[in-house]
């Protein structure tokens, strides 16, 4: 039984790392294509540009702030923190920085609209698979979601997860846009379709990867 648990932890850890890599790839493509990114990324890009810092460093600082505020607002939310939380907050940004560097070396800055569309669409599905793998690994929620849950708990669950998430996303989008970030078609796609596609891939993950292993 103990060996079984260790093997299953390794499987979940591989899912976690793979998920973070795919998430990083997806965001790096959205960022390079410049048709907008997710709501949180919109704010991070704006702050990165203002302070002339790399995306990875800016994301790590933002994640650390969200992490600290979440713990201060909701001590019980500490139970939601795991190794996945720490890897998510420290890894994804630097994956994006590394891929950004590669894109600048091998791709022209002016891509055709067709290339941008196909690349963005494929990146969206890869990003969604990454999110599904990360969630199903169940090794700790990301700092952005941790803040979401801490707000709900702090206000004694007067607001639903959906209400808080919409407010949080709109706040990030408005702030990022006001500070100079681009909001485009990819932002819209990520806002309206990520949940459905992640759910779809999550079901596939449950059926073919983690079925009967919990």
């Amino acid at each position: 039984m103990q060996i079984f648990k260790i093997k299953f932890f390794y499987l979940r850890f591989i899912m976690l790392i793979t998920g973070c890599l795919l998430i990083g790839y997806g965001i790096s493509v959205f960022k390079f294509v410049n048709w907008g990114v997710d709501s949180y990324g919109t704010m991070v890009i704006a702050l990165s540009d203002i302070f002339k810092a790399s995306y990875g460093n800016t994301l790590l600082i933002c994640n650390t702030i969200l992490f600290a505020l979440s713990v201060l607002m909701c001590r019980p939310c500490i139970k939601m923190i795991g190794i996945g939380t720490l890897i998510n907050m420290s890894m994804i940004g630097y994956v994006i920085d590394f891929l950004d560097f590669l894109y600048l070396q091998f791709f022209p800055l002016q891509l055709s609209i067709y290339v941008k569309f196909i690349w963005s669409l494929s990146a969206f599905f890869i990003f969604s698979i990454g999110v599904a793998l990360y969630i199903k690994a169940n090794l700790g929620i990301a700092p952005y979601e941790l803040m979401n849950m801490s707000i709900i708990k702090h206000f004694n669950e007067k607001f639903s997860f959906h209400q808080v998430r919409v407010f949080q996303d709109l706040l990030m989008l408005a702030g990022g846009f006001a500070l100079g970030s681009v909001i485009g078609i990819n932002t819209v796609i990520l806002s309206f379709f990520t949940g459905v596609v992640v759910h779809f891939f999550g079901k596939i993950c449950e059926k073919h990867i983690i079925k009967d292993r919990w």
Side-chain angles (χ1 to χ4, degrees), residues 1-14 213:
M1 178 62 75
Q2 190 65 30
I3 294 176
F4 172 80
K5 289 182 178 179
I6 292 173
K7 286 183 177 179
F8 187 49
F9 173 80
Y10 286 150
L11 173 63
R12 293 163 62 198
F13 187 76
I14 291 170
R213 289 189 175 92

Side-chain angles (χ1 to χ4, degrees), residues 114-126:
Y114 304 106
V115 172
K116 285 185 176 183
F117 175 78
I118 294 171
W119 201 8
S120 294
L121 187 62
S122 62
F124 168 70
F125 285 106
I126 292 172

Side-chain angles (χ1 to χ4, degrees), residues 47-58:
L47 295 174
S48 174
D49 290 342
I50 289 173
F51 292 106
K52 307 300 180 185
S54 72
Y55 185 92
N57 287 339
T58 307

Side-chain angles (χ1 to χ4, degrees), residues 78-207:
I78 293 175
K79 297 177 182 178
M80 302 177 188
I81 298 169
I83 188 173
T85 308
L86 302 178
I87 290 175
N88 178 290
M89 66 188 289
S90 60
M91 175 182 174
I92 292 176
Y94 295 109
V95 171
I96 294 168
D97 280 350
F98 175 70
L99 291 174
D100 276 348
F101 171 77
L102 292 183
Y103 299 153
L104 290 172
Q105 304 305 310
F106 298 104
F107 294 102
L109 291 177
Q110 297 299 324
L111 299 173
S112 72
I113 190 171
Y114 304 106
V115 172
K116 285 185 176 183
F117 175 78
I118 294 171
W119 201 8
S120 294
L121 187 62
S122 62
F124 168 70
F125 285 106
I126 292 172
F127 169 82
S128 299
I129 292 171
V131 174
L133 286 171
Y134 178 85
I135 292 173
K136 294 305 177 180
N138 196 30
L139 290 174
I141 65 174
Y144 191 71
E145 281 67 36
L146 184 64
M147 172 57 74
N148 200 157
M149 296 304 300
S150 68
I151 291 172
I152 293 171
K153 298 293 184 182
H154 183 76
F155 289 100
N156 298 314
E157 301 186 8
K158 292 180 181 179
F159 306 101
S160 68
F161 178 88
H162 179 71
Q163 288 174 323
V164 174
R165 185 55 182 262
V166 169
F167 172 77
Q168 193 170 307
D169 285 349
L170 289 175
L171 186 64
M172 291 293 173
L173 282 172
F177 181 72
L179 293 173
S181 273
V182 173
I183 294 179
I185 185 63
N186 284 339
T187 311
V188 176
I189 291 172
L190 287 163
S191 298
F192 288 98
F193 298 105
T194 300
V196 176
V197 179
V198 167
H199 178 74
F200 172 77
F201 285 122
K203 290 295 184 182
I204 293 175
C205 181
E206 288 179 356
K207 183 177 180 180

